[in-house]
Amino acid sequence: MSYKQQISKRRTFGIISHPDAGKTTLTEKLLLFGGAIQTAGAVKSNKIKKTATSDFMEIEKQRGISVATSVMGFEYEDFKINILDTPGHKDFAEDTYRTLTAVDSVILVVDCVKGVEEQTRKLMEVCRMRNTPVIIFINKLDREGQDPYELLDEIEKELSINVRPLTWPIGMGSGFKGIYNLYEKNLQLFKSGKTKINDDDIISISDLNDPLLDKQIEKGNADKLREDTDLIEGIYELFDEELYKEGLLAPVFFGSAINNFGVREMLNTFIKIAPEPRPRPTDKRDIDPYEDKFSGFIFKIHANLDPNHRDRIAFCRVVSGKFERNTFYHHSGIDKKLRFSNPTSFMANDKQILEEAFPGDVVGLYDTGNFKIGDTLTEGEKVQFRGIPSFSPEKFRQLVNNDPMKSKQLDKGIRQLTDEGVAQLFLQELENIKIIGTVGDLQFEVIQFRLLHEYSAACSFKPLNYFKACWITTENKEELEKFILHNKRFVTKDKDERLVFMAESAWALKNRQENFPDMEFHFTSEFKTDQEYIKQLY
Ligand code: G4P
């Protein structure tokens, strides 16, 4: 297969959802279709069980499993599909945001009973930042859910995206009869508990006035479907693939993942419309996947919790060219050449050394502490991929060293943990305070445990009452000096020495924004309006 064919056949995407909407179940069904697994239940997901919320060791154990399922690849109809797994637990939301930098599109799962939920909103915000194309799967139609029109309205309003249903449900819950494919014009009758869909389950009904429809789903349901299809044509514009690719329009499918129902329709449309590996912006220029020279970036680092194996795995998304084993590549973060003798692919429970990888693929690189999130690998060009920001953390605590003899270990440990993206570190120079910022409470326990077990450094935390940390910039030097003078206690530096304002409350932030009109307050670390930049590109 030619290099160009290798790229055009790849589809790399993520499945996102609020916990419990059915992401794991859907992933598994997709893998079944692709033949990557043979039986349901074969994928041990990185789903973090509800019962484990107070037991972070259990969570880390489960996260350990996620290394194996970080990338799940399978072949379907001549396409090589890579699903990048994203943790569902909200305390690890930042992992998910970063993984979304490495996908070209997403499938969003919505529970038809619960509709749009908190995590659905947050994840979609991240997708909108990059105009990531989205397909929506409305799940659990075998349950009494919300009215489909209301669900679609809610999605459009709350997620700020236009939708276009491509299939439509007939009934719901105990009265769920099946779905009608509005484009292929066929009917699929619901049977629960199926593990396979045979072609003969699909009944072609191109004219909805065909009496066959009444025979299949009873007259009442048939009349309702006729009414619904008229209404849908009236309300929604025809599906436009270009708008989907720009992230402005989401096609919607209805189904029941657990019953493997409605999944094939979505997969078949996915391979037709989902984008192939897309270009990515760097600080100097955009890099196209079809360029000859290899480039890629690190979007996730997974540490080994076992103290006997201190190595970590850095996950690299290949952006352009061909990645080859045992070849020297330039590492942007340390400005050195490195080569990898055991690059690994993680494919649905199967770990293999790989000789080569193409744009869209993810390579696992064993690392002894060289990598941090966002590092770029190239054949020599000194560029840095963008669009892999740190988000403003929501929880803050002061790091306290419990053993002054071990302050070196503590410094090293905390630096490495923040490189991995476990948390962010801010230094308040006035009182020489180290502030740790995270997205969830659990990370504090993880940090404390790992510092002690991996770096022999004992620490504790003092609570801090901050509302947000925002990066500050301005062209107005005088105003900056004034700002720092008036807010000494609240001005810190991140580990790249950039200034960060720690706001105690929404009011405090608003107050500073009003009093210092020339200052800019940024909520992600890549504030050079990457959003603008990325929008231009896609
Ligand atoms: P997640 O990864 O998004 O967190 O969700 P997951 O797939 O684990 O699904 C959450 C729960 O919803 C599971 O039940 C799963 O069986 C159920 N589920 C998924 N798809 C459907 C569907 O189409 N219909 C119905 N009725 N349920 C569905 P659980 O009881 O939490 O776990 P389990 O004991 O079944 O594993």
Side-chain angles (χ1 to χ4, degrees), residues 211-409:
L212 181 63
L213 185 67
D214 303 72
K215 225 169 111 191
Q216 291 291 346
I217 57 173
E218 296 159 19
K219 184 157 178 9
N221 288 319
D223 285 343
K224 174 86 171 59
L225 179 65
R226 291 178 185 117
E227 232 175 72
D228 282 342
T229 46
D230 282 349
L231 210 57
I232 293 163
E233 302 309 325
I235 306 176
Y236 300 102
E237 300 279 326
L238 283 181
F239 177 62
D240 181 331
E241 208 175 308
E242 282 315 304
L243 289 179
Y244 156 72
K245 287 216 162 82
E246 287 168 32
L248 299 172
L249 177 71
V252 179
F253 293 84
F254 291 84
S256 168
I258 197 128
N259 293 298
N260 207 355
F261 191 79
V263 178
R264 164 92 80 178
E265 275 68 21
M266 184 181 62
L267 182 58
N268 285 343
T269 307
F270 172 84
I271 54 167
K272 269 191 220 146
I273 64 170
E276 56 177 65
R278 307 210 291 176
R280 293 261 179 321
T282 71
D283 54 349
K284 304 227 168 69
R285 63 186 191 90
D286 304 339
I287 294 190
D288 192 86
Y290 288 93
E291 290 183 23
D292 294 344
K293 294 209 161 111
F294 162 75
S295 69
F297 63 88
I298 306 297
F299 64 93
K300 167 173 171 162
I301 294 175
H302 207 292
N304 200 332
L305 260 197
D306 179 351
N308 299 323
H309 297 93
R310 286 277 292 272
D311 54 350
R312 315 189 287 181
I313 297 166
F315 290 86
C316 174
R317 150 92 195 211
V318 180
V319 174
S320 65
K322 185 158 78 166
F323 171 92
E324 285 175 295
R325 183 181 172 195
N326 278 327
T327 306
F328 278 100
Y329 294 119
H330 178 258
H331 177 315
S332 67
I334 52 174
D335 197 18
K336 268 192 196 150
K337 293 214 155 193
L338 295 179
R339 71 174 165 175
F340 306 94
S341 50
N342 296 314
T344 306
S345 68
F346 294 91
M347 294 297 187
N349 292 350
D350 192 16
K351 203 163 87 170
Q352 272 175 356
I353 303 272
L354 54 80
E355 296 298 329
E356 54 180 32
F358 295 90
D361 287 342
V362 171
V363 184
L365 303 172
Y366 286 94
D367 171 40
T368 48
N370 286 320
F371 282 115
K372 62 179 190 310
I373 303 278
D375 279 339
T376 299
L377 291 174
T378 64
E379 287 191 25
E381 190 179 354
K382 294 192 175 171
V383 290
Q384 175 81 36
F385 280 104
R386 310 191 64 120
I388 313 147
S390 299
F391 290 84
S392 176
E394 290 165 14
K395 316 261 172 181
F396 301 91
R397 291 189 200 166
Q398 181 183 334
L399 180 69
V400 180
N401 185 0
N402 289 355
D403 181 355
M405 303 296 285
K406 295 279 168 64
S407 44
K408 260 198 181 150
Q409 283 88 330

Side-chain angles (χ1 to χ4, degrees), residues 17-26 47 50 139-143 255-259:
S17 75
H18 188 88
D20 270 350
K23 181 174 76 74
T24 312
T25 313
L26 181 66
K47 187 186 170 196
K50 282 164 253 168
N139 192 25
K140 306 196 186 180
L141 266 283
D142 57 320
R143 289 202 179 154
S256 168
I258 197 128
N259 293 298

Side-chain angles (χ1 to χ4, degrees), residues 4 33 37 59 81 85 98 134 173 278 286 348 355 386 397 404 411 423 434 456 502:
K4 283 191 173 159
F33 276 127
I37 54 170
I59 287 176
I81 299 177
D85 200 11
R98 284 191 294 254
V134 181
R278 307 210 291 176
D286 304 339
E355 296 298 329
R386 310 191 64 120
R397 291 189 200 166
D411 282 352
K434 286 193 176 76
S456 310
M502 315 297 287

Side-chain angles (χ1 to χ4, degrees), residues 447-473:
I447 291 166
Q448 200 172 30
F449 179 90
R450 288 191 53 190
L451 284 175
L452 187 63
H453 288 85
E454 294 173 36
Y455 302 90
S456 310
C459 77
S460 55
F461 299 104
K462 259 196 209 162
L464 289 173
N465 240 343
Y466 293 126
F467 157 74
K468 263 211 176 318
C470 17
W471 286 265
I472 46 175
T473 53

